[in-house]
PDB file of all heavy atoms in Angstrom:
ATOM      1  N   TYR A  67     -18.580   1.908   9.227  1.00  0.00           N
ATOM      2  CA  TYR A  67     -17.569   1.580   8.230  1.00  0.00           C
ATOM      3  C   TYR A  67     -17.228   0.110   8.268  1.00  0.00           C
ATOM      4  O   TYR A  67     -17.049  -0.464   9.321  1.00  0.00           O
ATOM      5  CB  TYR A  67     -16.296   2.385   8.498  1.00  0.00           C
ATOM      6  CG  TYR A  67     -16.208   3.589   7.618  1.00  0.00           C
ATOM      7  CD1 TYR A  67     -17.165   4.573   7.709  1.00  0.00           C
ATOM      8  CD2 TYR A  67     -15.205   3.724   6.682  1.00  0.00           C
ATOM      9  CE1 TYR A  67     -17.124   5.677   6.895  1.00  0.00           C
ATOM     10  CE2 TYR A  67     -15.149   4.815   5.861  1.00  0.00           C
ATOM     11  CZ  TYR A  67     -16.112   5.799   5.965  1.00  0.00           C
ATOM     12  OH  TYR A  67     -16.063   6.872   5.149  1.00  0.00           O
ATOM     13  N   GLU A  96     -16.185  14.870  17.080  1.00  0.00           N
ATOM     14  CA  GLU A  96     -16.022  13.899  15.977  1.00  0.00           C
ATOM     15  C   GLU A  96     -14.672  14.098  15.303  1.00  0.00           C
ATOM     16  O   GLU A  96     -14.162  15.217  15.253  1.00  0.00           O
ATOM     17  CB  GLU A  96     -17.101  14.177  14.919  1.00  0.00           C
ATOM     18  CG  GLU A  96     -18.304  13.254  14.962  1.00  0.00           C
ATOM     19  CD  GLU A  96     -18.104  11.997  14.125  1.00  0.00           C
ATOM     20  OE1 GLU A  96     -16.979  11.458  14.115  1.00  0.00           O
ATOM     21  OE2 GLU A  96     -19.075  11.565  13.493  1.00  0.00           O
ATOM     22  N   ASP A  97     -14.141  13.033  14.723  1.00  0.00           N
ATOM     23  CA  ASP A  97     -12.916  13.192  13.933  1.00  0.00           C
ATOM     24  C   ASP A  97     -13.220  13.846  12.588  1.00  0.00           C
ATOM     25  O   ASP A  97     -12.630  14.853  12.232  1.00  0.00           O
ATOM     26  CB  ASP A  97     -12.187  11.841  13.753  1.00  0.00           C
ATOM     27  CG  ASP A  97     -13.077  10.735  13.178  1.00  0.00           C
ATOM     28  OD1 ASP A  97     -14.289  10.950  12.975  1.00  0.00           O
ATOM     29  OD2 ASP A  97     -12.543   9.638  12.934  1.00  0.00           O
ATOM     30  N   ILE A  98     -14.162  13.283  11.841  1.00  0.00           N
ATOM     31  CA  ILE A  98     -14.437  13.797  10.491  1.00  0.00           C
ATOM     32  C   ILE A  98     -15.908  13.638  10.154  1.00  0.00           C
ATOM     33  O   ILE A  98     -16.515  12.615  10.480  1.00  0.00           O
ATOM     34  CB  ILE A  98     -13.533  13.086   9.450  1.00  0.00           C
ATOM     35  CG1 ILE A  98     -13.739  13.639   8.031  1.00  0.00           C
ATOM     36  CG2 ILE A  98     -13.719  11.570   9.471  1.00  0.00           C
ATOM     37  CD1 ILE A  98     -12.647  13.212   7.051  1.00  0.00           C
ATOM     38  N   ASP A 100     -18.137  13.223   7.094  1.00  0.00           N
ATOM     39  CA  ASP A 100     -18.032  12.859   5.675  1.00  0.00           C
ATOM     40  C   ASP A 100     -19.422  13.005   5.061  1.00  0.00           C
ATOM     41  O   ASP A 100     -19.793  14.087   4.614  1.00  0.00           O
ATOM     42  CB  ASP A 100     -17.462  11.434   5.593  1.00  0.00           C
ATOM     43  CG  ASP A 100     -17.306  10.925   4.174  1.00  0.00           C
ATOM     44  OD1 ASP A 100     -17.401  11.729   3.229  1.00  0.00           O
ATOM     45  OD2 ASP A 100     -17.091   9.706   3.993  1.00  0.00           O
ATOM     46  N   THR A 101     -20.229  11.955   5.081  1.00  0.00           N
ATOM     47  CA  THR A 101     -21.605  12.087   4.580  1.00  0.00           C
ATOM     48  C   THR A 101     -22.498  12.831   5.573  1.00  0.00           C
ATOM     49  O   THR A 101     -23.557  13.334   5.212  1.00  0.00           O
ATOM     50  CB  THR A 101     -22.245  10.704   4.334  1.00  0.00           C
ATOM     51  OG1 THR A 101     -22.314  10.015   5.589  1.00  0.00           O
ATOM     52  CG2 THR A 101     -21.439   9.898   3.343  1.00  0.00           C
ATOM     53  N   GLY A 102     -22.077  12.872   6.847  1.00  0.00           N
ATOM     54  CA  GLY A 102     -22.902  13.480   7.890  1.00  0.00           C
ATOM     55  C   GLY A 102     -23.876  12.504   8.523  1.00  0.00           C
ATOM     56  O   GLY A 102     -24.579  12.852   9.469  1.00  0.00           O
ATOM     57  N   LEU A 103     -23.925  11.272   8.037  1.00  0.00           N
ATOM     58  CA  LEU A 103     -24.893  10.287   8.567  1.00  0.00           C
ATOM     59  C   LEU A 103     -24.622   9.967  10.040  1.00  0.00           C
ATOM     60  O   LEU A 103     -25.546   9.860  10.841  1.00  0.00           O
ATOM     61  CB  LEU A 103     -24.859   9.008   7.730  1.00  0.00           C
ATOM     62  CG  LEU A 103     -25.476   9.121   6.329  1.00  0.00           C
ATOM     63  CD1 LEU A 103     -25.102   7.922   5.462  1.00  0.00           C
ATOM     64  CD2 LEU A 103     -26.990   9.260   6.421  1.00  0.00           C
ATOM     65  N   THR A 104     -23.342   9.830  10.396  1.00  0.00           N
ATOM     66  CA  THR A 104     -23.003   9.504  11.784  1.00  0.00           C
ATOM     67  C   THR A 104     -23.378  10.659  12.711  1.00  0.00           C
ATOM     68  O   THR A 104     -24.010  10.453  13.757  1.00  0.00           O
ATOM     69  CB  THR A 104     -21.489   9.214  11.908  1.00  0.00           C
ATOM     70  OG1 THR A 104     -21.155   8.144  11.028  1.00  0.00           O
ATOM     71  CG2 THR A 104     -21.109   8.857  13.328  1.00  0.00           C
ATOM     72  N   LYS A 128     -15.410  16.929   5.085  1.00  0.00           N
ATOM     73  CA  LYS A 128     -15.084  16.727   3.672  1.00  0.00           C
ATOM     74  C   LYS A 128     -16.001  17.552   2.790  1.00  0.00           C
ATOM     75  O   LYS A 128     -17.216  17.555   2.984  1.00  0.00           O
ATOM     76  CB  LYS A 128     -15.255  15.247   3.303  1.00  0.00           C
ATOM     77  CG  LYS A 128     -13.955  14.499   3.294  1.00  0.00           C
ATOM     78  CD  LYS A 128     -14.135  13.116   2.726  1.00  0.00           C
ATOM     79  CE  LYS A 128     -13.331  12.132   3.519  1.00  0.00           C
ATOM     80  NZ  LYS A 128     -13.499  10.760   3.033  1.00  0.00           N
ATOM     81  N   ARG A 148     -11.004  13.183  -0.305  1.00  0.00           N
ATOM     82  CA  ARG A 148      -9.981  12.141  -0.412  1.00  0.00           C
ATOM     83  C   ARG A 148     -10.045  11.315   0.861  1.00  0.00           C
ATOM     84  O   ARG A 148     -10.682  11.728   1.830  1.00  0.00           O
ATOM     85  CB  ARG A 148      -8.585  12.775  -0.522  1.00  0.00           C
ATOM     86  CG  ARG A 148      -8.498  13.891  -1.539  1.00  0.00           C
ATOM     87  CD  ARG A 148      -8.540  13.375  -2.955  1.00  0.00           C
ATOM     88  NE  ARG A 148      -7.319  12.635  -3.249  1.00  0.00           N
ATOM     89  CZ  ARG A 148      -6.164  13.230  -3.583  1.00  0.00           C
ATOM     90  NH1 ARG A 148      -6.097  14.535  -3.675  1.00  0.00           N
ATOM     91  NH2 ARG A 148      -5.102  12.489  -3.834  1.00  0.00           N
ATOM     92  N   PHE A 149      -9.379  10.167   0.887  1.00  0.00           N
ATOM     93  CA  PHE A 149      -9.405   9.369   2.107  1.00  0.00           C
ATOM     94  C   PHE A 149      -8.274   9.810   3.029  1.00  0.00           C
ATOM     95  O   PHE A 149      -7.097   9.747   2.672  1.00  0.00           O
ATOM     96  CB  PHE A 149      -9.336   7.863   1.826  1.00  0.00           C
ATOM     97  CG  PHE A 149      -9.829   7.089   3.012  1.00  0.00           C
ATOM     98  CD1 PHE A 149     -11.191   6.954   3.245  1.00  0.00           C
ATOM     99  CD2 PHE A 149      -8.942   6.564   3.938  1.00  0.00           C
ATOM    100  CE1 PHE A 149     -11.662   6.292   4.369  1.00  0.00           C
ATOM    101  CE2 PHE A 149      -9.406   5.892   5.068  1.00  0.00           C
ATOM    102  CZ  PHE A 149     -10.766   5.759   5.282  1.00  0.00           C
ATOM    103  N   ILE A 150      -8.654  10.276   4.223  1.00  0.00           N
ATOM    104  CA  ILE A 150      -7.712  10.897   5.154  1.00  0.00           C
ATOM    105  C   ILE A 150      -7.358   9.913   6.273  1.00  0.00           C
ATOM    106  O   ILE A 150      -8.240   9.241   6.810  1.00  0.00           O
ATOM    107  CB  ILE A 150      -8.343  12.161   5.804  1.00  0.00           C
ATOM    108  CG1 ILE A 150      -9.047  13.045   4.760  1.00  0.00           C
ATOM    109  CG2 ILE A 150      -7.300  12.941   6.600  1.00  0.00           C
ATOM    110  CD1 ILE A 150      -8.177  13.805   3.844  1.00  0.00           C
ATOM    111  N   ASP A 156      -8.236   6.226  10.758  1.00  0.00           N
ATOM    112  CA  ASP A 156      -7.630   4.969  10.305  1.00  0.00           C
ATOM    113  C   ASP A 156      -8.073   4.586   8.907  1.00  0.00           C
ATOM    114  O   ASP A 156      -9.052   5.093   8.363  1.00  0.00           O
ATOM    115  CB  ASP A 156      -8.054   3.836  11.242  1.00  0.00           C
ATOM    116  CG  ASP A 156      -9.527   3.446  11.036  1.00  0.00           C
ATOM    117  OD1 ASP A 156     -10.390   4.347  11.118  1.00  0.00           O
ATOM    118  OD2 ASP A 156      -9.808   2.264  10.763  1.00  0.00           O
TER     119      ASP A 156
HETATM  120  P1  LIG B 201     -20.043   9.866   7.916  1.00  0.00           P
HETATM  121  O1  LIG B 201     -21.095   9.140   8.685  1.00  0.00           O
HETATM  122  O2  LIG B 201     -20.058   9.490   6.454  1.00  0.00           O
HETATM  123  O3  LIG B 201     -20.057  11.361   8.103  1.00  0.00           O
HETATM  124  O4  LIG B 201     -18.636   9.342   8.396  1.00  0.00           O
HETATM  125  C1  LIG B 201     -18.253   9.494   9.678  1.00  0.00           C
HETATM  126  C2  LIG B 201     -17.206   8.491  10.078  1.00  0.00           C
HETATM  127  O5  LIG B 201     -16.616   7.781   8.978  1.00  0.00           O
HETATM  128  C3  LIG B 201     -16.085   9.243  10.730  1.00  0.00           C
HETATM  129  O6  LIG B 201     -16.319   9.405  12.099  1.00  0.00           O
HETATM  130  C4  LIG B 201     -14.886   8.384  10.419  1.00  0.00           C
HETATM  131  O7  LIG B 201     -14.709   7.409  11.433  1.00  0.00           O
HETATM  132  C5  LIG B 201     -15.210   7.703   9.119  1.00  0.00           C
HETATM  133  N1  LIG B 201     -14.572   8.382   7.959  1.00  0.00           N
HETATM  134  C6  LIG B 201     -15.168   9.137   7.011  1.00  0.00           C
HETATM  135  N2  LIG B 201     -14.285   9.608   6.122  1.00  0.00           N
HETATM  136  C7  LIG B 201     -13.082   9.147   6.505  1.00  0.00           C
HETATM  137  C8  LIG B 201     -11.731   9.320   5.991  1.00  0.00           C
HETATM  138  O8  LIG B 201     -11.459   9.993   4.990  1.00  0.00           O
HETATM  139  N3  LIG B 201     -10.758   8.682   6.700  1.00  0.00           N
HETATM  140  C9  LIG B 201     -10.997   7.928   7.808  1.00  0.00           C
HETATM  141  N4  LIG B 201     -12.225   7.758   8.323  1.00  0.00           N
HETATM  142  C10 LIG B 201     -13.257   8.358   7.683  1.00  0.00           C
END
Side-chain angles (χ1 to χ4, degrees):
Y67 261 62
E96 260 272 38
D97 54 356
I98 183 166
D100 180 13
T101 62
L103 288 166
T104 302
K128 261 189 220 178
R148 312 287 291 279
F149 199 79
I150 315 287
D156 73 306

